[in-house]
Amino acid sequence: MVRANDQVEAMLQEYADLIALRGGDAFKARAYEKAARAVGGYPDDVSALDAQGLRDIPHVGRSVADKVLEYLRTGRMSVVDEARASVPAGVRELIAVPGLGPRKAMVLYEELGITSVDQLQDAIRQERLRDLKGFGERTEQSILHGISVLRKAGEGRILVSAAMDVAEQLVAEMSAIPGCVRCTYAGSLRRMKETIGDVDILVAAHRPAPFMEALVALPGTAEVIARGEKKTSVRTATGLQVDLRVLPPASWGAGLQYFTGSKAHNIRTRALAVRQGLKLSEYGLFDAESGRSIASGTEEAIYTRLGLPWIPPTLREDRGEIAAGLRGELPDLVTERDIRGDLHTHTDLTDGLAPLEDMTAAAAARGYAYYAVTDHAPNLSMQRMTSEKILAQRERLRELDGGHHTMRLLHGTELNIGPDGDLDWPDEFLAEFDLCVASVHSHFNQNRRELTGRLIRACENPHVSVIGHPTTRLIGRRPPIDADLDAVFEACARTGTALEINAHPERLDLCDEDVLRAKRHGVKFAVNSDAHATTHLAYMRYGVATAQRGWLTTDDVINTWPLARLRRFLGR
């Protein structure tokens, strides 16, 4: 159930981390990190490639290809095994703490003998880190916050994208079994929460047994947790729990509504039913006195009988959707079909994996009306951007733009918001771009006042159209920066600067709750993939789902607008 590409990516990334931990060549570690990302973003299954096919992947040379082939053949990489043996397991555990890199992890081990997260937490409480060079009270607080983030992320939850891969494969498997009337995923995955605890699969069928047997027999099933007539729970090889429920076809709508949740939403709908003399369960909506079935076949029928419109799953979090539905005020949510273009993407000119030509072709295949290329600016020095390079890219993009009859190409850049809110290029140079995305990429530990002022100053630059991944978070790996977001939202509304909903599953930044708050300030949004490979363009679905969870409509999202309206916004 896990792509070979993802397994190889994880192994190569671990090797890069181990090189850094051992104080090895930084360029070598960076090379393996790039190779890991390239394999993870490669569209074809690497397990089907030979040595030459692997070397055709960007950043994968002969040495990396040999290691990948070894892993695909044996399930191991000897160099990783050797590197693991030279680094205590506890130190490898430490680098999982957001904000604690390989160098600091080795210092903690060598100077204080710390080999576990628990020991690290105890040392901070005893203020033992403060005498170490490069550590201090502020660093301690940052590490403590990182430990909290790590432990919260480790509570059996995975990214929505990883859960979706498993769920869609299972739905395909179950749907192919004779006797399947309906099949889909439910639970928090259907509500598109950013992390998922387990995957719920629902099947409508008259005979449950064939489906239970099929789930247990799947190659990806590592453990059977419970097996019954109507429900079977298994654990996959990656530790993800899957719950399969088989419903009578006549109860499909009621079951889907019930098992989609959320619990708080279901309490509201059941209370609404009780007030009308009805009883709502996973089997249907019934008259409370006679037990007569009122509705059960579809979700629409259930909600209609309760006096509600059908409520999209992404809204079912008890955030006022029931009251809004009763008033007839539910928003007409933005959908992926409404997205006319992507306004934040990268090529191999900086840290992307595919050339400009491949990225634009993949975007055109998605049916976009416009598409922006926004490679990194020079202050992110590792990307080695120059004015000459970006201008040469613009010239090539203009040539390609002439060949696209249905999709217009926009030339942009992702600027770096410096510690004082300064940007990479002077205003006269920025004025020549079609759009500028500005993002924080460093100095995450500034104080609240500094971080807030930094973001507001970027908003106030007339050439900045979008603030990219505004809180900089990486889910489970890096906490959001400590900025006064309401002040930033007010500045965006005042200056006409859009806030990004970064669709990468590791970011989803802004998150849904922040989107809701920003919308109340009158902010506009751009839902972008931040694609670094052609396969990443499909991440748009997760950004749109986050926008839906934030109650956004097409009027709120600038890249649903026709190009003429978008250009007016960008040229404010």
Side-chain angles (χ1 to χ4, degrees), residues 169-183 203 210-211 214:
Q169 183 177 343
L170 285 170
V171 168
E173 297 274 3
M174 296 296 121
S175 297
I177 297 173
C180 178
V181 178
R182 300 284 296 274
C183 181
V203 169
F211 301 92

Side-chain angles (χ1 to χ4, degrees), residues 83-106:
R84 285 171 177 166
S86 66
V87 176
V91 179
R92 299 202 302 272
E93 178 186 344
L94 292 181
I95 65 171
V97 176
L100 187 64
R103 290 183 182 178
K104 286 187 175 179
M106 282 304 291

Side-chain angles (χ1 to χ4, degrees), residues 170-198:
L170 285 170
V171 168
E173 297 274 3
M174 296 296 121
S175 297
I177 297 173
C180 178
V181 178
R182 300 284 296 274
C183 181
T184 192
Y185 50 84
S188 57
L189 181 58
R190 188 168 179 237
R191 301 198 312 278
M192 296 295 276
K193 294 196 69 173
E194 62 193 34
T195 61
I196 308 299
D198 51 53

Side-chain angles (χ1 to χ4, degrees), residues 107-186:
V107 168
L108 292 170
Y109 169 67
E110 292 170 350
E111 299 291 332
L112 300 178
I114 294 173
T115 59
S116 74
V117 174
D118 286 339
Q119 289 178 6
L120 174 59
Q121 192 167 30
D122 289 342
I124 292 173
R125 287 171 177 160
Q126 295 163 17
E127 299 183 358
R128 294 170 57 206
L129 272 61
R130 298 186 184 186
D131 295 331
L132 299 177
K133 184 179 180 180
F135 291 81
E137 183 177 358
R138 200 158 154 191
T139 305
E140 288 178 342
Q141 294 306 311
S142 176
I143 293 173
L144 281 175
H145 188 72
I147 292 172
S148 173
V149 170
L150 175 68
R151 287 181 169 160
K152 184 177 180 181
E155 294 171 354
R157 301 189 71 81
I158 65 172
L159 296 179
V160 61
S161 55
M164 187 64 76
D165 288 344
V166 172
E168 290 185 333
Q169 183 177 343
L170 285 170
V171 168
E173 297 274 3
M174 296 296 121
S175 297
I177 297 173
C180 178
V181 178
R182 300 284 296 274
C183 181
T184 192
Y185 50 84

